[in-house]
Amino acid sequence: MTFVLIVLALTLAIGYPVAMFIGLYVHNKVMQTLLLVACIIPFWTSFLIRVLAWRPMLGTEGAVNIVLMKLGLTASPLGELLFTELSVIIGMTQIYVVFMVGPIAFMLSRIDPSLIEGARDLGASGWRIFRTIILPLSLTGVIVGAIFVSVMVLGEFATTAALSGRKVNMLGNIIVTQVGSLKWAFAAVVGVILTLLMAVIVAGLLRIVDLRKEL
């Protein structure tokens, strides 16, 4: 559950500004479409390839360590970047952030620009405009994105297995391990727990907004 909350927070922190730029500041519909397509370019390759690509990047001789040392942020390569919980979080955030960008950008693009212009004319600050207009009107997109990300992270097993060196186990990994050991009953129990957990999270998020009314 900790992984879900961390990845959810990171995808929102990264995805919202990107979605805000696409949905509010890019007014050309063709350009909006091109930018959203650019966000999903990584999905043109296999999921497993995208996961495994993080191994050489996060290794002691990988691109991330090289950049950190070139910038003078570290004196030596960081071994903690790979086969740790951090590497799993980085991988999941990169893979699933697009599922946060899409729904939020869609809702932001529906905001009437005259509302924001009117608020500015009345002397509202940028923060107040965001807090009272932009955020409430984009909340549905945030909830939809949160549902996508949380459900997919809960069911994860490939990213954790590939990037944690099997040091991190989520419910998906437990199910795969038990099925491989032919322990069908235990795998079924864990599967039911996973399903119920997903249902609770989705139900809780849906209580925040009424999707049928908003969409």
Side-chain angles (χ1 to χ4, degrees):
M1 193 64 189
T2 303
F3 275 98
V4 176
L5 295 176
I6 294 175
V7 174
L8 195 58
L10 289 175
T11 53
L12 180 59
I14 297 171
Y16 200 99
V18 174
M20 193 169 175
F21 172 76
I22 296 174
L24 283 184
Y25 298 103
V26 178
H27 302 294
N28 188 296
K29 296 298 182 182
V30 175
M31 184 58 66
Q32 283 184 347
T33 302
L34 290 175
L35 290 173
L36 288 174
V37 170
C39 290
I40 64 172
I41 284 178
F43 286 83
W44 295 0
T45 60
S46 166
F47 173 85
L48 190 56
I49 291 175
R50 284 183 283 128
V51 172
L52 294 176
W54 279 105
R55 282 192 177 187
M57 291 186 64
L58 296 175
T60 54
E61 298 181 1
V64 176
N65 268 312
I66 291 174
V67 171
L68 291 176
M69 288 189 291
K70 289 289 186 180
L71 295 175
L73 298 177
T74 58
S76 59
L78 298 176
E80 298 81 6
L81 293 179
L82 186 59
F83 299 137
T84 60
E85 293 183 356
L86 177 60
S87 61
V88 176
I89 292 171
I90 292 173
M92 287 186 181
T93 301
Q94 183 270 324
I95 291 169
Y96 296 124
V97 67
V98 67
F99 293 99
M100 189 66 77
V101 172
I104 297 175
F106 172 73
M107 295 304 300
L108 288 171
S109 65
R110 297 174 60 185
I111 296 177
D112 188 345
S114 63
L115 290 175
I116 298 175
E117 290 299 325
R120 288 200 184 104
D121 292 341
L122 292 173
S125 64
W127 167 245
R128 187 170 185 183
I129 292 173
F130 174 78
R131 181 170 53 87
T132 59
I133 298 176
I134 297 175
L135 183 59
L137 293 178
S138 64
L139 186 59
T140 301
V142 173
I143 297 302
V144 172
I147 290 173
F148 286 158
V149 172
S150 58
V151 168
M152 287 185 289
V153 172
L154 276 172
E156 261 284 5
F157 66 92
T159 305
T160 51
L163 297 181
S164 73
R166 300 192 181 277
K167 295 177 183 177
V168 176
N169 274 323
M170 299 182 68
L171 291 176
N173 299 98
I174 296 174
I175 293 173
V176 172
T177 301
Q178 297 305 313
V179 169
S181 302
L182 301 180
K183 297 180 180 178
W184 308 106
F186 188 75
V189 171
V190 178
V192 171
I193 293 173
L194 178 59
T195 303
L196 291 175
L197 189 56
M198 287 181 178
V200 169
I201 291 176
V202 172
L205 290 171
L206 290 178
R207 289 182 65 87
I208 300 176
V209 295
D210 185 349
L211 291 184
R212 288 178 296 180
K213 178 181 178 181
E214 296 293 333
L215 297 177

mmCIF file of all heavy atoms in Angstrom, residues 18-48:
data_model
loop_
_atom_site.group_PDB
_atom_site.id
_atom_site.type_symbol
_atom_site.label_atom_id
_atom_site.label_comp_id
_atom_site.label_asym_id
_atom_site.label_seq_id
_atom_site.Cartn_x
_atom_site.Cartn_y
_atom_site.Cartn_z
ATOM 1 N N VAL A 18 2.357 18.893 -16.248
ATOM 2 C CA VAL A 18 2.392 18.573 -17.683
ATOM 3 C C VAL A 18 0.995 18.691 -18.284
ATOM 4 O O VAL A 18 0.803 19.290 -19.349
ATOM 5 C CB VAL A 18 2.955 17.156 -17.905
ATOM 6 C CG1 VAL A 18 2.867 16.762 -19.374
ATOM 7 C CG2 VAL A 18 4.395 17.069 -17.414
ATOM 8 N N ALA A 19 0.006 18.121 -17.585
ATOM 9 C CA ALA A 19 -1.376 18.195 -18.063
ATOM 10 C C ALA A 19 -1.874 19.635 -18.083
ATOM 11 O O ALA A 19 -2.627 20.032 -18.986
ATOM 12 C CB ALA A 19 -2.271 17.333 -17.173
ATOM 13 N N MET A 20 -1.453 20.418 -17.109
ATOM 14 C CA MET A 20 -1.868 21.814 -17.036
ATOM 15 C C MET A 20 -1.322 22.598 -18.224
ATOM 16 O O MET A 20 -2.022 23.437 -18.810
ATOM 17 C CB MET A 20 -1.391 22.427 -15.719
ATOM 18 C CG MET A 20 -2.007 23.754 -15.375
ATOM 19 S SD MET A 20 -1.607 24.223 -13.675
ATOM 20 C CE MET A 20 -2.331 25.859 -13.626
ATOM 21 N N PHE A 21 -0.088 22.302 -18.589
ATOM 22 C CA PHE A 21 0.505 22.974 -19.750
ATOM 23 C C PHE A 21 -0.248 22.599 -21.026
ATOM 24 O O PHE A 21 -0.606 23.460 -21.834
ATOM 25 C CB PHE A 21 1.981 22.597 -19.876
ATOM 26 C CG PHE A 21 2.620 23.094 -21.142
ATOM 27 C CD1 PHE A 21 2.966 24.427 -21.293
ATOM 28 C CD2 PHE A 21 2.864 22.221 -22.195
ATOM 29 C CE1 PHE A 21 3.536 24.890 -22.472
ATOM 30 C CE2 PHE A 21 3.440 22.669 -23.368
ATOM 31 C CZ PHE A 21 3.776 24.009 -23.508
ATOM 32 N N ILE A 22 -0.512 21.306 -21.191
ATOM 33 C CA ILE A 22 -1.188 20.849 -22.402
ATOM 34 C C ILE A 22 -2.634 21.327 -22.447
ATOM 35 O O ILE A 22 -3.119 21.787 -23.491
ATOM 36 C CB ILE A 22 -1.143 19.311 -22.489
ATOM 37 C CG1 ILE A 22 0.303 18.825 -22.618
ATOM 38 C CG2 ILE A 22 -1.982 18.802 -23.660
ATOM 39 C CD1 ILE A 22 0.454 17.312 -22.558
ATOM 40 N N GLY A 23 -3.331 21.227 -21.322
ATOM 41 C CA GLY A 23 -4.756 21.524 -21.304
ATOM 42 C C GLY A 23 -5.109 22.991 -21.247
ATOM 43 O O GLY A 23 -6.141 23.404 -21.787
ATOM 44 N N LEU A 24 -4.249 23.806 -20.608
ATOM 45 C CA LEU A 24 -4.591 25.214 -20.417
ATOM 46 C C LEU A 24 -3.810 26.174 -21.298
ATOM 47 O O LEU A 24 -4.338 27.188 -21.748
ATOM 48 C CB LEU A 24 -4.384 25.606 -18.950
ATOM 49 C CG LEU A 24 -5.446 25.170 -17.941
ATOM 50 C CD1 LEU A 24 -5.116 25.726 -16.564
ATOM 51 C CD2 LEU A 24 -6.831 25.632 -18.367
ATOM 52 N N TYR A 25 -2.546 25.880 -21.514
ATOM 53 C CA TYR A 25 -1.675 26.841 -22.187
ATOM 54 C C TYR A 25 -1.454 26.527 -23.663
ATOM 55 O O TYR A 25 -0.930 27.369 -24.390
ATOM 56 C CB TYR A 25 -0.336 26.928 -21.457
ATOM 57 C CG TYR A 25 -0.486 27.416 -20.040
ATOM 58 C CD1 TYR A 25 -0.411 26.539 -18.960
ATOM 59 C CD2 TYR A 25 -0.747 28.758 -19.776
ATOM 60 C CE1 TYR A 25 -0.571 26.991 -17.663
ATOM 61 C CE2 TYR A 25 -0.907 29.211 -18.485
ATOM 62 C CZ TYR A 25 -0.816 28.327 -17.434
ATOM 63 O OH TYR A 25 -0.986 28.773 -16.149
ATOM 64 N N VAL A 26 -1.811 25.334 -24.091
ATOM 65 C CA VAL A 26 -1.743 25.003 -25.516
ATOM 66 C C VAL A 26 -3.174 25.047 -26.050
ATOM 67 O O VAL A 26 -3.986 24.170 -25.756
ATOM 68 C CB VAL A 26 -1.127 23.606 -25.748
ATOM 69 C CG1 VAL A 26 -1.126 23.268 -27.235
ATOM 70 C CG2 VAL A 26 0.292 23.552 -25.192
ATOM 71 N N HIS A 27 -3.482 26.052 -26.829
ATOM 72 C CA HIS A 27 -4.857 26.259 -27.281
ATOM 73 C C HIS A 27 -5.148 25.591 -28.617
ATOM 74 O O HIS A 27 -6.311 25.399 -28.972
ATOM 75 C CB HIS A 27 -5.155 27.760 -27.381
ATOM 76 C CG HIS A 27 -4.967 28.488 -26.081
ATOM 77 N ND1 HIS A 27 -5.756 28.258 -24.974
ATOM 78 C CD2 HIS A 27 -4.057 29.418 -25.695
ATOM 79 C CE1 HIS A 27 -5.374 29.037 -23.971
ATOM 80 N NE2 HIS A 27 -4.329 29.740 -24.379
ATOM 81 N N ASN A 28 -4.107 25.272 -29.357
ATOM 82 C CA ASN A 28 -4.285 24.596 -30.638
ATOM 83 C C ASN A 28 -4.595 23.120 -30.414
ATOM 84 O O ASN A 28 -3.818 22.400 -29.797
ATOM 85 C CB ASN A 28 -3.008 24.752 -31.482
ATOM 86 C CG ASN A 28 -3.195 24.229 -32.895
ATOM 87 O OD1 ASN A 28 -3.417 23.043 -33.097
ATOM 88 N ND2 ASN A 28 -3.106 25.125 -33.866
ATOM 89 N N LYS A 29 -5.761 22.676 -30.883
ATOM 90 C CA LYS A 29 -6.188 21.304 -30.644
ATOM 91 C C LYS A 29 -5.249 20.289 -31.280
ATOM 92 O O LYS A 29 -5.006 19.213 -30.725
ATOM 93 C CB LYS A 29 -7.613 21.092 -31.173
ATOM 94 C CG LYS A 29 -8.672 21.917 -30.459
ATOM 95 C CD LYS A 29 -8.754 21.537 -28.991
ATOM 96 C CE LYS A 29 -9.848 22.329 -28.281
ATOM 97 N NZ LYS A 29 -9.915 22.002 -26.828
ATOM 98 N N VAL A 30 -4.723 20.621 -32.451
ATOM 99 C CA VAL A 30 -3.791 19.705 -33.116
ATOM 100 C C VAL A 30 -2.519 19.551 -32.288
ATOM 101 O O VAL A 30 -2.012 18.439 -32.102
ATOM 102 C CB VAL A 30 -3.451 20.210 -34.535
ATOM 103 C CG1 VAL A 30 -2.381 19.321 -35.177
ATOM 104 C CG2 VAL A 30 -4.702 20.252 -35.398
ATOM 105 N N MET A 31 -2.024 20.677 -31.766
ATOM 106 C CA MET A 31 -0.815 20.621 -30.947
ATOM 107 C C MET A 31 -1.074 19.863 -29.644
ATOM 108 O O MET A 31 -0.211 19.114 -29.173
ATOM 109 C CB MET A 31 -0.331 22.044 -30.645
ATOM 110 C CG MET A 31 0.990 22.087 -29.870
ATOM 111 S SD MET A 31 2.346 21.236 -30.716
ATOM 112 C CE MET A 31 2.523 22.294 -32.155
ATOM 113 N N GLN A 32 -2.256 20.042 -29.048
ATOM 114 C CA GLN A 32 -2.614 19.279 -27.854
ATOM 115 C C GLN A 32 -2.571 17.786 -28.131
ATOM 116 O O GLN A 32 -2.016 17.002 -27.342
ATOM 117 C CB GLN A 32 -4.019 19.672 -27.376
ATOM 118 C CG GLN A 32 -4.096 20.980 -26.641
ATOM 119 C CD GLN A 32 -5.496 21.257 -26.126
ATOM 120 O OE1 GLN A 32 -6.462 20.598 -26.503
ATOM 121 N NE2 GLN A 32 -5.612 22.237 -25.242
ATOM 122 N N THR A 33 -3.137 17.400 -29.269
ATOM 123 C CA THR A 33 -3.155 15.982 -29.643
ATOM 124 C C THR A 33 -1.741 15.458 -29.849
ATOM 125 O O THR A 33 -1.398 14.362 -29.389
ATOM 126 C CB THR A 33 -3.974 15.773 -30.928
ATOM 127 O OG1 THR A 33 -5.299 16.265 -30.723
ATOM 128 C CG2 THR A 33 -4.030 14.298 -31.296
ATOM 129 N N LEU A 34 -0.896 16.244 -30.511
ATOM 130 C CA LEU A 34 0.482 15.822 -30.761
ATOM 131 C C LEU A 34 1.256 15.660 -29.456
ATOM 132 O O LEU A 34 2.042 14.719 -29.296
ATOM 133 C CB LEU A 34 1.189 16.837 -31.664
ATOM 134 C CG LEU A 34 0.718 16.881 -33.121
ATOM 135 C CD1 LEU A 34 1.419 18.006 -33.871
ATOM 136 C CD2 LEU A 34 0.978 15.541 -33.805
ATOM 137 N N LEU A 35 1.035 16.563 -28.511
ATOM 138 C CA LEU A 35 1.731 16.473 -27.228
ATOM 139 C C LEU A 35 1.270 15.251 -26.435
ATOM 140 O O LEU A 35 2.080 14.578 -25.784
ATOM 141 C CB LEU A 35 1.504 17.749 -26.410
ATOM 142 C CG LEU A 35 2.204 19.005 -26.945
ATOM 143 C CD1 LEU A 35 1.767 20.229 -26.161
ATOM 144 C CD2 LEU A 35 3.721 18.842 -26.853
ATOM 145 N N LEU A 36 -0.031 14.957 -26.480
ATOM 146 C CA LEU A 36 -0.536 13.771 -25.793
ATOM 147 C C LEU A 36 -0.010 12.488 -26.446
ATOM 148 O O LEU A 36 0.313 11.521 -25.756
ATOM 149 C CB LEU A 36 -2.064 13.774 -25.794
ATOM 150 C CG LEU A 36 -2.721 14.810 -24.868
ATOM 151 C CD1 LEU A 36 -4.234 14.823 -25.076
ATOM 152 C CD2 LEU A 36 -2.399 14.517 -23.405
ATOM 153 N N VAL A 37 0.094 12.514 -27.770
ATOM 154 C CA VAL A 37 0.672 11.363 -28.469
ATOM 155 C C VAL A 37 2.131 11.196 -28.076
ATOM 156 O O VAL A 37 2.620 10.068 -27.888
ATOM 157 C CB VAL A 37 0.537 11.527 -29.997
ATOM 158 C CG1 VAL A 37 1.358 10.469 -30.739
ATOM 159 C CG2 VAL A 37 -0.924 11.437 -30.410
ATOM 160 N N ALA A 38 2.840 12.318 -27.928
ATOM 161 C CA ALA A 38 4.241 12.254 -27.512
ATOM 162 C C ALA A 38 4.376 11.614 -26.133
ATOM 163 O O ALA A 38 5.350 10.915 -25.850
ATOM 164 C CB ALA A 38 4.853 13.657 -27.504
ATOM 165 N N CYS A 39 3.384 11.852 -25.270
ATOM 166 C CA CYS A 39 3.417 11.278 -23.926
ATOM 167 C C CYS A 39 3.299 9.752 -23.949
ATOM 168 O O CYS A 39 3.797 9.074 -23.041
ATOM 169 C CB CYS A 39 2.298 11.865 -23.065
ATOM 170 S SG CYS A 39 2.532 13.596 -22.610
ATOM 171 N N ILE A 40 2.609 9.233 -24.974
ATOM 172 C CA ILE A 40 2.386 7.791 -25.012
ATOM 173 C C ILE A 40 3.355 7.079 -25.956
ATOM 174 O O ILE A 40 3.205 5.875 -26.194
ATOM 175 C CB ILE A 40 0.939 7.455 -25.420
ATOM 176 C CG1 ILE A 40 0.654 7.926 -26.859
ATOM 177 C CG2 ILE A 40 -0.054 8.057 -24.447
ATOM 178 C CD1 ILE A 40 -0.688 7.453 -27.380
ATOM 179 N N ILE A 41 4.344 7.801 -26.490
ATOM 180 C CA ILE A 41 5.339 7.160 -27.358
ATOM 181 C C ILE A 41 6.017 5.967 -26.681
ATOM 182 O O ILE A 41 6.256 4.935 -27.332
ATOM 183 C CB ILE A 41 6.380 8.197 -27.838
ATOM 184 C CG1 ILE A 41 5.761 9.073 -28.933
ATOM 185 C CG2 ILE A 41 7.641 7.513 -28.361
ATOM 186 C CD1 ILE A 41 6.678 10.155 -29.448
ATOM 187 N N PRO A 42 6.361 6.045 -25.387
ATOM 188 C CA PRO A 42 6.976 4.863 -24.746
ATOM 189 C C PRO A 42 6.127 3.603 -24.846
ATOM 190 O O PRO A 42 6.654 2.493 -24.803
ATOM 191 C CB PRO A 42 7.146 5.311 -23.281
ATOM 192 C CG PRO A 42 7.274 6.792 -23.353
ATOM 193 C CD PRO A 42 6.349 7.200 -24.469
ATOM 194 N N PHE A 43 4.805 3.762 -24.978
ATOM 195 C CA PHE A 43 3.928 2.597 -25.060
ATOM 196 C C PHE A 43 4.003 1.914 -26.418
ATOM 197 O O PHE A 43 3.384 0.876 -26.620
ATOM 198 C CB PHE A 43 2.482 3.008 -24.758
ATOM 199 C CG PHE A 43 2.245 3.285 -23.309
ATOM 200 C CD1 PHE A 43 2.557 4.516 -22.768
ATOM 201 C CD2 PHE A 43 1.722 2.310 -22.478
ATOM 202 C CE1 PHE A 43 2.349 4.781 -21.422
ATOM 203 C CE2 PHE A 43 1.518 2.559 -21.131
ATOM 204 C CZ PHE A 43 1.835 3.790 -20.602
ATOM 205 N N TRP A 44 4.775 2.485 -27.331
ATOM 206 C CA TRP A 44 4.969 1.834 -28.612
ATOM 207 C C TRP A 44 5.941 0.662 -28.501
ATOM 208 O O TRP A 44 6.092 -0.108 -29.445
ATOM 209 C CB TRP A 44 5.484 2.840 -29.641
ATOM 210 C CG TRP A 44 4.504 3.934 -29.957
ATOM 211 C CD1 TRP A 44 3.248 4.091 -29.432
ATOM 212 C CD2 TRP A 44 4.697 5.032 -30.848
ATOM 213 N NE1 TRP A 44 2.646 5.216 -29.928
ATOM 214 C CE2 TRP A 44 3.506 5.820 -30.811
ATOM 215 C CE3 TRP A 44 5.738 5.439 -31.672
ATOM 216 C CZ2 TRP A 44 3.361 6.972 -31.563
ATOM 217 C CZ3 TRP A 44 5.586 6.588 -32.424
ATOM 218 C CH2 TRP A 44 4.413 7.349 -32.377
ATOM 219 N N THR A 45 6.614 0.569 -27.380
ATOM 220 C CA THR A 45 7.521 -0.553 -27.143
ATOM 221 C C THR A 45 6.936 -1.461 -26.066
ATOM 222 O O THR A 45 5.998 -1.089 -25.355
ATOM 223 C CB THR A 45 8.902 -0.061 -26.681
ATOM 224 O OG1 THR A 45 8.758 0.684 -25.446
ATOM 225 C CG2 THR A 45 9.540 0.840 -27.725
ATOM 226 N N SER A 46 7.494 -2.636 -25.932
ATOM 227 C CA SER A 46 7.004 -3.612 -24.961
ATOM 228 C C SER A 46 7.139 -3.087 -23.538
ATOM 229 O O SER A 46 8.114 -2.414 -23.189
ATOM 230 C CB SER A 46 7.791 -4.913 -25.110
ATOM 231 O OG SER A 46 7.580 -5.768 -24.009
ATOM 232 N N PHE A 47 6.146 -3.426 -22.716
ATOM 233 C CA PHE A 47 6.177 -3.040 -21.304
ATOM 234 C C PHE A 47 7.439 -3.573 -20.632
ATOM 235 O O PHE A 47 8.114 -2.873 -19.879
ATOM 236 C CB PHE A 47 4.930 -3.586 -20.595
ATOM 237 C CG PHE A 47 4.936 -3.393 -19.108
ATOM 238 C CD1 PHE A 47 4.499 -2.207 -18.548
ATOM 239 C CD2 PHE A 47 5.381 -4.398 -18.259
ATOM 240 C CE1 PHE A 47 4.497 -2.024 -17.170
ATOM 241 C CE2 PHE A 47 5.391 -4.222 -16.887
ATOM 242 C CZ PHE A 47 4.949 -3.036 -16.346
ATOM 243 N N LEU A 48 7.770 -4.833 -20.904
ATOM 244 C CA LEU A 48 8.932 -5.448 -20.264
ATOM 245 C C LEU A 48 10.227 -4.774 -20.687
ATOM 246 O O LEU A 48 11.134 -4.590 -19.867
ATOM 247 C CB LEU A 48 8.979 -6.936 -20.610
ATOM 248 C CG LEU A 48 10.005 -7.782 -19.829
ATOM 249 C CD1 LEU A 48 9.775 -7.652 -18.334
ATOM 250 C CD2 LEU A 48 9.939 -9.236 -20.270
#
